[in-house]
Amino acid sequence: MSAEKVVDLQFVAPQVVQIRMQDRTSKNTFSEALTEGLMGAFAQVERLPDCKVVVLTGYDNYFASGGTQEQLMNLSEGRGAFTDRAIYGLPLHCPVPVISAMQGHGIGGGFVLGMFADLVVLGRENIYTTNFMRYGFTPGMGATFILPQKLGLALATEMMLSANNYRGEELQQRGIPFPVVPRDRVLTHALELAQTLAEKPRVSLVAFKDHLSAPLRQALPATIAQEVEMHAVTFAQPEVRAKIATLFGA
């Protein structure tokens, strides 16, 4: 399936762009088509002077599902790094505010991608997990940087170390600082929020996002480098390769 079909970009309200990830074949894992589509969509946003805010969402019960099994096996065999296609930083580096409407499950790098947005809306019934350590390798995609920033150190550490699944409702009870609504209301809530932002002047939104994001953009590369170093050690373990082969998708 082409990148154009698996990632749809359209204006859904005046000055509000929706980017929908809809790779049904891969359940929104970071397939080549989804990766290319995301990179192309965010590049297109930069060329849209009428765009004031982006709503990033998925399809049905899937927001984003992280790396494919093939990608993880390649990493375990020392072929490439997650930095080869740095899609995790797309929301952070987008010039206008990005809202993650996480209407479906956010898994591994898919959950991390959503956390790089400026604003986040979660679904009560959905599963959110940073499941890297389930396979025995350390978190990547900037998880060790952005999750403590967005969730707080204690919860982020628990999520990454345990690799457990968390329902949105449970995260709400744990005090996360994001709206958590019924999953069939996530996109509506995000669009309502987007329309509120779109009432502001674009130049002010761009300037303020640049101001708020600057410390994150400056600090992220050092953490990414550390994550890549940890991957060089942890992915090389035979146990990790075995877990990827047997547990992926289970």
Side-chain angles (χ1 to χ4, degrees):
M1 185 178 293
S2 69
E4 291 77 11
K5 292 182 179 179
V6 301
V7 178
D8 176 70
L9 181 152
Q10 59 179 301
F11 279 93
V12 292
Q15 301 172 313
V16 176
V17 164
Q18 176 180 282
I19 296 176
R20 182 185 294 277
M21 299 175 285
Q22 49 188 15
D23 191 342
R24 296 175 182 272
T25 300
S26 77
K27 296 181 178 178
N28 275 0
T29 55
F30 295 149
S31 64
E32 188 69 18
L34 186 68
T35 298
E36 290 183 1
L38 279 174
M39 295 177 71
F42 276 95
Q44 186 176 346
V45 166
E46 295 190 21
R47 301 190 297 269
L48 294 173
D50 292 334
C51 175
K52 291 185 177 181
V53 58
V54 171
V55 175
L56 177 66
T57 194
Y59 77 94
D60 295 348
N61 290 331
Y62 292 95
F63 174 72
S65 304
T68 67
Q69 186 177 43
E70 180 182 7
Q71 288 165 346
L72 297 182
M73 289 300 291
N74 285 340
L75 292 176
S76 74
E77 295 167 3
R79 297 199 297 269
F82 69 85
T83 51
D84 294 342
R85 306 296 289 276
I87 62 173
Y88 52 87
L90 291 173
L92 178 63
H93 292 284
C94 183
V96 298
V98 178
I99 303 171
S100 285
M102 300 179 70
Q103 86 315 318
H105 306 317
I107 300 170
F111 180 68
V112 177
L113 172 67
M115 291 298 104
F116 271 104
D118 303 283
L119 300 171
V120 178
V121 184
L122 302 183
R124 289 178 188 165
E125 305 91 337
N126 300 326
I127 290 173
Y128 303 106
T129 178
T130 53
N131 62 343
F132 307 93
M133 290 287 282
R134 181 170 183 243
Y135 303 104
F137 60 86
T138 47
M141 299 286 290
T144 62
F145 174 79
I146 200 63
L147 296 187
Q149 292 279 345
K150 294 298 181 73
L151 302 175
L153 180 60
L155 179 57
T157 300
E158 178 187 317
M159 290 186 72
M160 288 187 284
L161 278 175
S162 71
N164 286 337
N165 295 340
Y166 296 77
R167 295 282 180 183
E169 184 175 22
E170 181 181 356
L171 293 177
Q172 184 179 36
Q173 294 170 351
R174 297 288 296 271
I176 63 166
F178 311 128
V180 181
V181 300
R183 63 185 171 198
D184 60 359
R185 284 280 304 165
V186 169
L187 183 56
T188 300
H189 188 95
L191 291 173
E192 290 171 353
L193 184 56
Q195 289 176 325
T196 299
L197 269 61
E199 294 171 0
K200 283 70 176 175
R202 186 180 190 277
V203 66
S204 300
L205 291 169
V206 171
F208 194 36
K209 166 155 184 178
D210 189 58
H211 171 74
L212 291 175
S213 300
L216 302 179
R217 292 170 179 170
Q218 292 167 6
L220 178 60
T223 301
I224 293 296
Q226 292 170 343
E227 289 183 349
V228 170
E229 289 179 2
M230 287 191 293
H231 277 185
V233 175
T234 61
F235 261 111
Q237 301 175 86
E239 180 183 0
V240 169
R241 286 192 287 274
K243 285 180 179 293
I244 295 170
T246 59
L247 296 179
F248 190 91

